[in-house]
Amino acid sequence: MSRVINFSPGPATLPLSVLEEVRDELLDYRGSGISMLEHSHRGKEYTAVHEQTSALLRELLAVPESHDILFMQGGASGQFGFVPMNFLQGKTADYVDTGAWSKKAFAAAKYYGTPRWAGHGKEGELYVRVPRELELSEEAQYVHITSNATITGVQFHEFPQTTAPLVADMSSDILWRPIDVSRFGLIYAGAQKNLGPAGVTVVIVRKDWMEQGAKDIPDFFRYAFIASKGSTHNTPPTFPIYVVGKVLAWVKANGGAAGMEKRNRQKAATLYGLIDSNPDFFRCPVEKGSRSQMNVVFRLPNEELEAKLIEAAAAEGMVNIKGHRSVGGIRVSLYNAIEPAHVDRLVALMRDFAAQHG
Ligand SMILES: *Cc1c(COP(=O)(O)O)cnc(C)c1O
């Protein structure tokens, strides 16, 4: 077996111990004679997994009783539609623009009302920060942010104060640190970055707000209906939820959300530290106060050198550091499961590379 260090933006690396446990249980889940891939979503084995996964997430993120946890499908992209379908109802909502994902969320909302932009984090065409000030509307049904813009590397380090419910796409930074969930009307996240494999979307929603959602849409699209059925109104993505449960147990064993924050800040500081100490060679376009602790984006003096760095890293068993095709450059994703030692190895390679080519 020769596993490489995978800095992919998603689907992303999983803790090795989680993969090993999944392997060991794959053919016969805990003496049941059946794989978790084959268990009924109404059977006792899967039901226990479903409930434990939800309970662990509640514990690790300190989700208050005022909020429900749902497991859905359709990814974060599906939530771009689910949110306005439930809550916009022909009215307006404030969207905050920190990159391509915010724009996609905005575009989906237009089918259900008239969303407006409350702020952009751009300098010319380049996203460089979380907007300094937001122009919020009194009519807004909610305020939508992308807590971590995976492509542009712009992250909210403090969340805006809003009177309307705050909705956050946390696909690429959920559980990177402790947060105050009570401040949010709704949080959604595709699992495949920081929580587990692709195929399940986690939604955390304030119950009283959810109950006010649209009633004139099919049950399948109503958060309140899904919550009332414990997310088993239809067949849930059983295997991804089972793996998410294992990732959450790994997070708990590694110090919970606070443990993740410590580890993640250390990793990001190591990488940004190298970038900032070589300003003639590495350049991060994002302002310091908005830099993502999860997706570190930067440029080299030219595209040829960027291609060479990607190649040099791959030759050393470090893969998937190419920037998103829409922005180019380099992007190194440092999700929870990335080990600090992995970052040290990449930074050592980058230091040598800069000395060689600078
Ligand atoms: C990856 C990502 C998405 C898209 O997720 P899907 O699950 O593929 O729909 C949306 N928003 C953010 C912030 C992302 O990182």
Side-chain angles (χ1 to χ4, degrees), residues 9-11 74-80 100-102 104-105 144-151 169-173 188-193 198-201 295 331 335:
S77 304
Q79 297 300 316
F80 296 166
W101 294 121
S102 319
K104 286 193 175 168
H144 181 282
I145 63 169
T146 311
S147 58
N148 180 63
T150 322
I151 295 173
D169 174 359
M170 288 196 187
S171 293
S172 54
D173 70 349
Y188 62 88
Q192 70 271 24
K193 277 101 186 217
V200 60
T201 313
N295 311 96
R331 168 174 55 176
Y335 300 126

Side-chain angles (χ1 to χ4, degrees), residues 11-12 16 20-21 84 125 127 129 139 141 148 156 187 200 218 238 255 278 286 288 298-299 306 311 342 353:
L16 183 59
E20 287 168 344
E21 277 179 43
E125 282 310 295
Y127 287 90
R129 70 176 79 88
E139 270 84 60
Q141 300 301 296
N148 180 63
F156 280 83
I187 291 167
V200 60
T238 52
N278 291 271
V286 183
K288 284 196 175 152
F298 56 96
R299 306 298 311 234
E306 289 169 351
E311 215 176 284
H342 297 164
F353 190 87

Side-chain angles (χ1 to χ4, degrees), residues 127-358:
Y127 287 90
V128 296
R129 70 176 79 88
V130 163
R132 291 202 185 98
E133 276 179 25
L134 298 180
E135 283 174 44
L136 300 174
S137 150
E138 281 182 12
E139 270 84 60
Q141 300 301 296
Y142 56 85
V143 178
H144 181 282
I145 63 169
T146 311
S147 58
N148 180 63
T150 322
I151 295 173
T152 56
V154 171
Q155 186 176 31
F156 280 83
H157 291 281
E158 276 165 43
F159 299 115
Q161 292 289 347
T162 62
T163 39
L166 183 59
V167 174
D169 174 359
M170 288 196 187
S171 293
S172 54
D173 70 349
I174 190 166
L175 204 54
W176 86 274
R177 63 162 177 172
I179 54 164
D180 179 1
V181 172
S182 71
R183 289 193 50 195
F184 293 86
L186 189 144
I187 291 167
Y188 62 88
Q192 70 271 24
K193 277 101 186 217
N194 226 4
L195 289 180
V200 60
T201 313
V202 166
V203 174
I204 302 171
V205 55
R206 213 180 75 209
K207 293 175 189 171
D208 62 342
W209 190 43
M210 170 179 82
E211 296 300 341
Q212 296 163 29
K215 308 258 181 315
D216 57 350
I217 54 177
D219 281 347
F220 185 84
F221 298 102
R222 281 175 46 221
Y223 291 118
F225 175 77
I226 298 165
S228 74
K229 301 290 180 188
S231 305
T232 51
H233 53 301
N234 76 328
T235 316
T238 52
F239 197 74
I241 291 170
Y242 155 79
V243 182
V244 167
K246 293 205 177 293
V247 172
L248 294 175
W250 174 87
V251 168
K252 185 172 173 178
N254 284 276
M260 292 299 113
E261 175 169 19
K262 190 157 171 262
R263 169 185 164 96
N264 289 326
R265 285 197 189 278
Q266 182 200 334
K267 292 182 292 183
T270 304
L271 184 48
Y272 283 120
L274 178 82
I275 291 168
D276 291 338
S277 63
N278 291 271
D280 296 333
F281 197 75
F282 299 116
R283 188 167 35 88
C284 172
V286 183
E287 289 178 2
K288 284 196 175 152
S290 295
R291 284 181 176 178
S292 172
Q293 303 290 293
M294 296 276 98
N295 311 96
V296 178
V297 300
F298 56 96
R299 306 298 311 234
L300 270 60
N302 58 58
E303 290 183 2
E304 201 184 319
L305 282 171
E306 289 169 351
K308 267 196 175 155
L309 176 66
I310 292 164
E311 215 176 284
E316 295 292 319
M318 292 178 272
V319 303
N320 291 326
I321 63 167
K322 194 176 189 324
H324 190 268
R325 60 190 183 280
S326 63
V327 294
I330 308 287
R331 168 174 55 176
V332 179
S333 298
L334 305 177
Y335 300 126
N336 288 350
I338 290 282
E339 294 294 334
H342 297 164
V343 182
D344 294 343
R345 266 186 64 182
L346 181 69
V347 163
L349 178 125
M350 284 169 59
R351 187 179 289 121
D352 290 349
F353 190 87
Q356 205 182 332
H357 298 278

